[in-house]
Amino acid sequence: MEDGYLHYQALKGWDDAPFMQPSPTDAQFFAHYLGGAVAAGALVAEVGFGNGNFLGWAAGRGAQVFGSEVQAAAREKAVAAGVGLLPLDFTAWKDVLPGRLRVIAAIDVMEHLTRAQNSELLAAAARLLEPDGLLFARFPNGQSPLSLPIQHGDQTHVSVLSAPIVEQMAQGLALEVVYAGRPFRPYAGGLPGRIARKAQDVVRGGCDRAIRMVYGPLQMHANTVMVLRRT
């Protein structure tokens, strides 16, 4: 499984990048969805933590962080940083974790998993999250043509997903969808950056409305964010 990720650190520019150092826009993005859930003492886990941006943000808020990762180089960095490593097999997580999780993050990772593995991830979230705990995910939106460069720009992407597909996969589990749709778009550069991002959003919104008028209710955003709550 790791063969496909042999040069992934270099491809992503992670070889020499600081580990667990989220950018200001990363922090905005994570806080927008999880700022009320990730706090001191919370147990937080990430599937496929990559260069650790999310785990670094969560640890900075006082959370106890854990993660799984297929890349050996990333696992070595995580061990050195004090991250609790989790097995790739979701069914084995319960043997490692000290308690129920407040948050499980799967950011840009579900497209790297098979459909069966994604079903196992959802089932694990239903078992391992504390009541009202959150599963937070972002993945290419398989319902949008704008996702094609993302979905097909990486040989390690194996699943095409959408919010309706994930919702169907969660049927019968103790999970409810609390958000599914366009990602929040953080901004950089203070007020000028905020104004520029607002202008982009206005233009995108107009394009979306025009497309819907002609073709119907297509979901055009390139990525989808989903937040599911443990009931």
Side-chain angles (χ1 to χ4, degrees), residues 196-220:
R197 180 50 48 85
K198 182 66 175 177
Q200 288 178 345
D201 288 343
V202 169
V203 172
R204 288 188 175 195
C207 292
D208 275 2
R209 287 190 292 273
I211 290 169
R212 287 168 182 264
M213 286 177 62
V214 177
Y215 293 103
L218 299 180
Q219 303 297 320
M220 294 302 294

Side-chain angles (χ1 to χ4, degrees), residues 167-178:
E167 188 168 1
Q168 290 172 34
M169 293 169 68
Q171 290 294 313
L173 300 175
L175 297 170
E176 63 176 356
V177 177
V178 295

Side-chain angles (χ1 to χ4, degrees), residues 133-145:
L134 301 177
L135 172 62
F136 174 67
R138 182 177 67 188
F139 49 82
N141 176 19
Q143 293 182 299
S144 171

Side-chain angles (χ1 to χ4, degrees), residues 57-142:
W57 174 80
R61 296 174 71 90
Q64 187 176 353
V65 296
F66 303 84
S68 64
E69 176 55 59
V70 69
Q71 301 171 76
R75 293 197 301 269
E76 291 171 5
K77 293 178 183 179
V79 170
V83 174
L85 286 185
L86 296 172
L88 297 178
D89 180 358
F90 300 120
T91 63
W93 279 23
K94 66 181 184 301
D95 299 324
V96 179
L97 292 167
R100 288 189 176 270
L101 294 161
R102 180 80 51 81
V103 169
I104 297 174
I107 303 166
D108 304 333
V109 73
M110 292 179 73
E111 64 271 24
H112 294 262
L113 305 179
T114 66
R115 194 65 66 84
Q117 288 172 322
N118 280 313
S119 293
E120 292 168 2
L121 168 59
L122 292 169
R127 291 193 308 271
L128 299 174
L129 286 170
E130 63 185 38
D132 293 325
L134 301 177
L135 172 62
F136 174 67
R138 182 177 67 188
F139 49 82
N141 176 19

Side-chain angles (χ1 to χ4, degrees), residues 145-174:
L146 299 179
S147 75
L148 293 176
I150 302 171
Q151 182 69 45
H152 298 292
D154 190 328
Q155 68 163 339
T156 63
H157 290 179
V158 296
S159 289
V160 178
L161 298 165
S162 66
I165 288 174
V166 174
E167 188 168 1
Q168 290 172 34
M169 293 169 68
Q171 290 294 313
L173 300 175

Side-chain angles (χ1 to χ4, degrees), residues 24-47:
T25 51
D26 287 335
Q28 283 183 48
F29 181 75
F30 302 144
H32 179 81
Y33 294 102
L34 302 171
V38 177
L43 300 186
V44 172
E46 183 175 13
V47 183

